Amino acid sequence: MSAVIDTHDHSHDEHHGPAKGFTRWLLTTNHKDIGSMYLIFSFAMFLLGGSMAMVIRAELFQPGLQIVEPAFFNQMTTMHGLIMVFGAVMPAFVGLANWMIPMMVGAPDMALPRMNNWSFWLLPAAFLILVSTLFMEGGGPNFGWTFYAPLSTTYGPPSTTFFIFAIHIMGISSIMGAINVIATIMNLRAPGMTLMKMPLFVWTWLITAFLLIAVMPVLAGVVTMMLMDINFGTSFFDAAGGGDPVLFQHVFWFFGHPEVYIMILPAFGAVSEIIPAFSRKPLFGYASMVYAVAAIALLSFVVWAHHMFTVGLPIAGQLFFMYCTMLIAVPTGVKVFNWVATMFRGALSFEAPMLFAVAFIILFTIGGFSGLMLAIAPADFQYHDTYFVVAHFHYVLVPGAIFGIFASAYFWLPKWTGTMYDETLAKTHFWMSFIGMNLAFFPMHFLGLAGMPRRIPDYALQFADFNMISSVGAFMFGATQLLFLYIVVKCIRGGGEKAPAKPWDGAEGLEWTLPSPAPYHTFATPPEVK
């Protein structure tokens, strides 16, 4: 028995005859169509956000101002962050959820198909508004992706109100997507599929959906307070009117820290499906993996002020947030141990999904260690707002979220298209991405420790060599993603071998995912025979 059960009768998806062309996509309620649209949209945003990163790295290739104005540089850093977080990573995981969750739990479709359609189509509208701010008077948001007040409220460009509107629409989309995931998992599981028999990808998404519902209204609250400060004369964040700029940071990071786990938990789930399949053995410690994800999610709510060690927190506050942050390393360590234990003495093979999954484990762990360094309050006074922080979160998000998405795409492409992708090209894509990513972000640790601040268009001469290496790596990583586009398009158009029923050969009962925990007959004589 595979954990993927597709019981959906697709012959009646359109009740009024088959819709043609664009209308089919505009009106579809089919979870596979919507999943595909999310994935296509997220890749388009990935290329757009990536091209903005290319502008940043081109400017920093050498000291001195050469390519863009400092004001435009600030707009690029801001938009790159916002587009990658809200436009590339989150919609990609929602796309994977749409495709895989109904099949993994044996549901005919998502529980709320029309809301599913609406939650997708809000996104292109939101990002059209966000990107249009770049063409408005005064330019787009230029205050960093964290849009700290009063920089964004008192000193922001006139387009800030449009930016706030775009954030609201994205948040509504995310909340509806999360409600849909929860409703599907709780109500549409096939008979016999108890919660503790669900594939881990489903578990991680269930927990992620609760995180989304908990924190998206907080983001809505903080941007609404900004809106009032800008347009209605309130002073939530303006000290001159009795407000407090640090209040903004508290509210923002109460959303922002769980948000980073929203971007990584589904990748944990995907990797927990991929590692067992290419190790040809069941996942080690299924239950502990579920509890670890839940523990990470709960702890993510009590660590927000570790982003704020330099604002003048009382010493008791610094200690609390320091210890809570270090505590997150425990469940994360459990997960890493279980992945390694799954591979231990397994019949390993290293196709593209496995390569991305193994790189995910190694590089994400490096990002975790630099996170532990940043968690130590007195040390953070030195690292805060330097390139060391940039290195840290890119080591979590690029090998974490992005590599997790690549691994999932290669793993499930044969399922989605009926065609095998080009393995040689996929491995080329992996190694180019792996090398480019490390060249781009590893030198940033050294730059940060040497004192180079974040978010600057120019820098002192002693930082030149590492910045040059960083830029070369970034361009290598960016260019390689066009190869990924080629591989996927070629696969979708059937330009490869027909996918066998079990594409990952030898993975008995592991066609697409693992029934987790594995049924008893995988191991021994059935109990009634004894």
Side-chain angles (χ1 to χ4, degrees):
M1 173 207 138
S2 165
V4 173
I5 312 154
D6 185 10
T7 56
H8 189 32
D9 175 10
H10 297 290
S11 57
H12 305 297
D13 281 348
E14 300 297 343
H15 299 288
H16 308 289
K20 293 282 187 290
F22 183 64
T23 324
R24 172 201 154 183
W25 295 99
L26 188 66
L27 304 177
T28 181
T29 52
N30 179 326
H31 70 102
K32 297 176 179 180
D33 285 351
I34 294 169
S36 298
M37 292 195 299
Y38 266 111
L39 290 167
I40 292 164
F41 171 79
S42 82
F43 191 72
M45 288 294 109
F46 181 56
L47 292 182
L48 178 62
S51 61
M52 293 174 175
M54 299 299 97
V55 173
I56 295 166
R57 285 319 318 173
E59 178 59 62
L60 296 176
F61 183 72
Q62 59 185 40
L65 297 173
Q66 46 262 329
I67 298 174
V68 294
E69 294 295 313
F72 186 70
F73 182 89
N74 289 345
Q75 292 174 44
M76 287 293 98
T77 52
T78 304
M79 294 291 274
H80 164 70
L82 289 167
I83 287 173
M84 287 306 204
V85 169
F86 295 108
V89 173
M90 290 171 68
F93 281 129
V94 180
L96 293 172
N98 264 294
W99 252 106
M100 299 313 297
I101 287 175
M103 294 194 280
M104 284 178 163
V105 299
D109 202 294
M110 295 296 277
L112 305 158
R114 290 183 190 276
M115 189 164 87
N116 205 11
N117 174 291
W118 192 37
S119 69
F120 169 75
W121 283 108
L122 283 176
L123 283 180
F127 281 90
L128 217 59
I129 294 169
L130 182 63
V131 175
S132 72
T133 59
L134 289 171
F135 304 99
M136 293 178 187
E137 189 188 350
N142 59 359
F143 30 68
W145 80 272
T146 51
F147 43 96
Y148 278 5
L151 203 58
S152 55
T153 49
T154 310
Y155 306 104
S159 66
T160 307
T161 301
F162 288 89
F163 152 80
I164 291 170
F165 186 43
I167 294 275
H168 267 304
I169 298 174
M170 287 174 226
I172 292 167
S173 165
S174 286
I175 289 172
M176 291 199 299
I179 290 171
N180 214 341
V181 166
I182 292 171
T184 305
I185 296 171
M186 299 314 280
N187 295 324
L188 294 187
R189 296 196 306 283
M193 176 159 289
T194 59
L195 287 176
M196 290 310 272
K197 280 186 182 164
M198 298 194 306
L200 258 173
F201 181 73
V202 180
W203 255 118
T204 51
W205 244 111
L206 179 63
I207 291 166
T208 302
F210 278 108
L211 280 181
L212 277 165
I213 288 173
V215 302
M216 280 298 162
V218 179
L219 177 66
V222 81
V223 294
T224 304
M225 290 156 91
M226 283 173 62
L227 188 77
M228 308 291 276
D229 274 14
I230 294 166
N231 297 298
F232 299 106
T234 58
S235 301
F236 289 110
F237 309 128
D238 182 3
D244 184 359
V246 177
L247 173 66
F248 177 91
Q249 295 191 32
H250 277 294
V251 186
F252 176 84
W253 284 116
F254 190 78
F255 147 79
H257 200 81
E259 165 65 26
V260 299
Y261 289 96
I262 287 164
M263 290 192 283
I264 201 70
L265 291 183
F268 285 175
V271 166
S272 301
E273 306 296 337
I274 292 164
I275 298 277
F278 292 94
S279 304
R280 272 84 189 169
K281 51 186 279 219
L283 183 73
F284 180 90
Y286 171 88
S288 65
M289 291 295 252
V290 173
Y291 297 135
V293 177
I296 290 169
L298 286 171
L299 282 169
S300 75
F301 281 99
V302 289
V303 296
W304 78 89
H306 68 205
H307 298 268
M308 302 168 52
F309 282 141
T310 57
V311 303
L313 293 175
I315 200 84
Q318 291 183 45
L319 284 169
F320 173 83
F321 288 106
M322 180 168 95
Y323 291 139
C324 285
T325 305
M326 293 162 109
L327 206 56
I328 283 197
V330 177
T332 310
V334 169
K335 299 189 77 60
V336 173
F337 177 87
N338 285 7
W339 288 323
V340 175
T342 304
M343 290 188 281
F344 181 64
R345 297 184 70 175
L348 300 177
S349 64
F350 293 96
E351 287 88 355
M354 185 63 160
L355 287 173
F356 274 109
V358 173
F360 167 98
I361 295 171
I362 296 166
L363 298 175
F364 179 80
T365 304
I366 293 174
F369 280 129
S370 59
L372 270 177
M373 293 171 68
L374 290 160
I376 300 163
D380 185 74
F381 295 152
Q382 309 303 315
Y383 310 137
H384 188 83
D385 265 340
T386 70
Y387 255 83
F388 189 84
V389 181
V390 181
H392 157 69
F393 68 71
H394 281 89
Y395 259 86
V396 175
L397 287 175
V398 178
I402 307 284
F403 278 21
I405 293 162
F406 287 150
S408 307
Y410 285 129
F411 188 51
W412 285 316
L413 259 174
K415 169 73 179 160
W416 299 339
T417 63
T419 307
M420 290 304 286
Y421 60 84
D422 186 320
E423 188 65 56
T424 313
L425 287 181
K427 284 181 173 166
T428 309
H429 170 233
F430 166 74
W431 285 111
M432 298 277 287
S433 296
F434 180 83
I435 295 164
M437 181 259 145
N438 282 291
L439 272 181
F441 301 116
F442 207 82
M444 291 181 184
H445 292 101
F446 308 139
L447 289 168
L449 293 178
M452 181 175 164
R454 293 170 69 170
R455 294 176 174 165
I456 49 164
D458 193 13
Y459 51 85
L461 199 58
Q462 69 262 34
F463 303 129
D465 292 350
F466 280 136
N467 268 298
M468 188 174 283
I469 295 169
S470 214
S471 290
V472 169
F475 275 94
M476 181 176 171
F477 182 82
T480 308
Q481 305 323 315
L482 298 174
L483 177 61
F484 178 68
L485 178 64
Y486 172 76
I487 295 166
V488 173
V489 170
K490 181 183 167 188
C491 187
I492 290 171
R493 295 180 66 172
E497 297 172 34
K498 190 172 182 299
K502 297 179 180 175
W504 312 120
D505 57 336
E508 199 51 49
L510 297 164
E511 294 92 322
W512 308 105
T513 59
L514 196 73
S516 313
Y520 65 87
H521 56 258
T522 308
F523 303 110
T525 331
E528 65 273 14
V529 176
K530 281 179 182 168

